[in-house]
Amino acid sequence: MDGKSDTFNIDKELDLRGLDEGTITQKIQDNLNTVTEGNFMLVYVNRYEDISVVAKAAFASKATVDNVLKKNEKDWVVMVKNEVPVAQAG
């Protein structure tokens, strides 16, 4: 989100609310291969600690977390971008 554009190419949405850490990790890794490089997958979680689970799974799958949006007291939307993280590039 660099301020240059206000549109996002969203290829997939995953509702992972209430799932355990292993299931969240598996679903992120299984579904990222269906997201076009440079596009987004929206992931819905309802526990704050699940944001880091999503981030670790995304990074392990060569993707990045671009933004986290708080919908309400118990719901977050994690924007996962299918791109190689800068630290892993090259």
Side-chain angles (χ1 to χ4, degrees):
M1 297 181 54
D2 54 16
K4 295 177 187 172
S5 172
D6 60 355
T7 60
F8 305 97
N9 293 318
I10 299 168
D11 284 357
K12 189 137 194 114
E13 293 185 54
L14 292 178
D15 185 351
L16 304 181
R17 291 176 280 202
L19 300 178
D20 63 83
E21 184 175 331
T23 304
I24 291 171
T25 300
Q26 188 65 45
K27 288 191 176 281
I28 296 289
Q29 292 173 345
D30 288 348
N31 284 280
L32 263 172
N33 63 7
T34 67
V35 177
T36 304
E37 189 171 331
N39 289 358
F40 289 89
M41 176 171 65
L42 300 182
V43 180
Y44 300 90
V45 295
N46 64 341
R47 290 185 304 257
Y48 182 77
E49 56 272 13
D50 289 342
I51 296 168
S52 66
V53 174
V54 171
K56 288 176 189 173
F59 193 75
S61 298
K62 309 279 193 259
T64 59
V65 170
D66 196 63
N67 204 353
V68 177
L69 308 169
K70 186 173 184 179
K71 288 181 61 178
N72 56 48
E73 287 301 312
K74 296 197 176 190
D75 283 310
W76 290 268
V77 180
V78 184
M79 295 180 69
V80 177
K81 188 171 187 180
N82 188 11
E83 66 179 358
V84 177
V86 175
Q88 293 182 2

